[in-house]
């Protein structure tokens, strides 16, 4: 891969990456600032997309059209959907889907986008493997998991919603952008991977845990992305 797009939804997810870049040129489009330059010697474009699936999809398409990226990494934080995945741990996507896509009235299973021939968007195997190996090296104090990431325009902070996401989709974690980036990557036939550090448990404790742990969690992803790009 020659040029990698790196998307975070929020400033805390991308600010350290931007600080560590060299030879940066800045271009603004669709109210998003695209920072093109070198990260650890690798050509990258780092951008804060803003929150939610629409922002994430628009951002990914600009990366493809205007910057010709040939791969996308989505980095950030997420709510855990598994007891054994703790705050600070990292989930590397096997695949991603939109948990709020619902056309069951027409016979589609929840999460399935009507008239698309995939149920979930599968992450690139090489990027996945590289992420897991790199994570073990740079974040030895936490655990790294590989599993499905479920995205929706919803901050999940209730045990009932959490249980639905587990039962319906067997999700490992939930967030608000990954599957939209995955879908845009799929449509453009470029590889992607989603890397998410856990900031909360997506249950009734999420609203208090999230602000307490978001910064620490985001740091784990930054460390992972910086080392990972060296070897892409
Ligand atoms: N990002 C971090 N925690 C989240 C949660 N509980 N729901 C949705 N997105 C999140």
């Amino acid at each position: 891969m020659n040029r990698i797009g790196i998307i975070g939804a929020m400033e805390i997810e991308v600010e350290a990456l931007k600080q560590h870049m060299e030879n940066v040129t800045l271009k603004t489009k669709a109210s998003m600032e695209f920072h093109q330059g070198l990260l650890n010697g690798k050509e990258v474009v780092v951008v804060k997309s803003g929150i939610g699936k629409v922002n994430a999809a628009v951002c990914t398409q600009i990366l493809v059209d205007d910057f010709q990226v040939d791969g996308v990494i989505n980095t950030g934080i997420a709510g855990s959907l598994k007891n054994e995945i703790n705050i600070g741990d990292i989930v590397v996507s096997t695949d991603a889907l939109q948990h709020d896509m619902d056309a069951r009235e027409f016979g589609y299973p929840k999460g399935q986008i009507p008239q698309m021939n995939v149920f979930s968007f599968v992450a690139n195997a090489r990027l996945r493997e590289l992420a897991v190996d790199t994570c073990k090296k740079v974040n030895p104090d936490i655990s790294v998991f590989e599993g499905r990431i479920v995205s929706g325009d919803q901050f999940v902070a209730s045990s009932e919603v959490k249980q639905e996401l587990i039962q319906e989709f067997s999700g490992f974690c939930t967030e608000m952008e990954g599957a939209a980036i995955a879908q845009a990557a799929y449509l453009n036939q470029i590889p992607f991977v989603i890397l998410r550090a856990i900031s909360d448990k997506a249950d009734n404790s999420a609203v208090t845990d999230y602000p307490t742990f978001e910064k620490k969690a985001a740091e784990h992803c930054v460390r992972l992305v910086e080392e990972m790009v060296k070897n892409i």
Side-chain angles (χ1 to χ4, degrees):
M1 281 168 221
N2 295 317
R3 188 178 297 146
I4 317 293
I6 302 174
I7 304 172
M10 299 184 297
E11 191 58 25
I12 63 157
E13 295 166 331
V14 292
E15 64 187 347
L17 296 174
K18 289 190 299 194
Q19 276 161 16
H20 299 160
M21 285 175 70
E22 291 172 313
N23 300 350
V24 179
T25 54
L26 181 63
K27 181 180 170 182
T28 302
K29 185 160 181 180
S31 308
M32 299 172 196
E33 289 184 348
F34 294 81
H35 299 253
Q36 182 170 8
L38 297 176
L39 183 64
N40 259 331
K42 184 79 193 173
E43 246 199 84
V44 298
V45 183
V46 175
V47 53
K48 179 185 83 170
S49 63
I51 294 167
K53 293 184 293 159
V54 174
N55 282 329
V58 168
C59 183
T60 310
Q61 192 61 49
I62 294 171
L63 283 170
V64 173
D65 289 343
D66 291 27
F67 297 92
Q68 291 80 43
V69 299
D70 46 17
V72 183
I73 297 173
N74 175 215
T75 174
I77 56 183
S80 172
L81 297 176
K82 273 188 174 289
N83 284 342
E84 63 268 37
I85 306 182
N86 288 310
I87 289 173
D89 288 346
I90 285 187
V91 177
V92 174
S93 61
T94 51
D95 61 331
L97 62 77
Q98 292 160 42
H99 66 72
D100 53 357
M101 175 58 68
D102 188 354
R104 284 176 291 180
E105 288 296 340
F106 297 101
Y108 293 98
K110 191 151 192 265
Q112 168 83 50
I113 302 168
Q115 301 182 7
M116 281 193 85
N117 55 10
V118 289
F119 178 61
S120 67
F121 301 101
V122 176
N124 178 262
R126 206 177 76 77
L127 290 177
R128 263 176 64 185
E129 195 183 331
L130 181 61
V132 171
D133 291 348
T134 309
C135 194
K136 288 178 182 160
K137 203 168 89 185
V138 297
N139 290 314
D141 300 338
I142 58 155
S143 299
V144 56
F145 296 84
E146 287 181 90
R148 174 173 288 166
I149 296 183
V150 297
S151 313
D153 287 321
Q154 182 179 15
F155 184 84
V156 179
S158 105
S159 302
E160 291 84 62
V161 178
K162 178 178 177 174
Q163 280 318 310
E164 275 172 36
L165 298 183
I166 295 167
Q167 269 153 27
E168 198 95 46
F169 304 116
S170 306
F172 276 44
C173 68
T174 186
E175 37 80 309
M176 302 173 75
E177 298 83 20
I181 292 165
Q183 182 176 346
Y186 170 84
L187 291 171
N188 288 282
Q189 299 177 326
I190 60 165
F192 80 89
V193 71
I194 307 164
L195 314 171
R196 293 280 177 162
I198 300 302
S199 56
D200 59 82
K201 293 281 201 157
D203 57 16
N204 301 7
S205 64
V207 175
T208 43
D209 282 349
Y210 178 89
T212 314
F213 298 112
E214 62 171 348
K215 198 162 186 308
K216 189 98 207 115
E219 279 167 18
H220 294 165
C221 269
V222 166
R223 220 175 290 151
L224 167 56
V225 170
E226 286 191 349
E227 184 64 23
M228 193 179 154
V229 292
K230 279 187 194 167
N231 299 310
I232 293 180

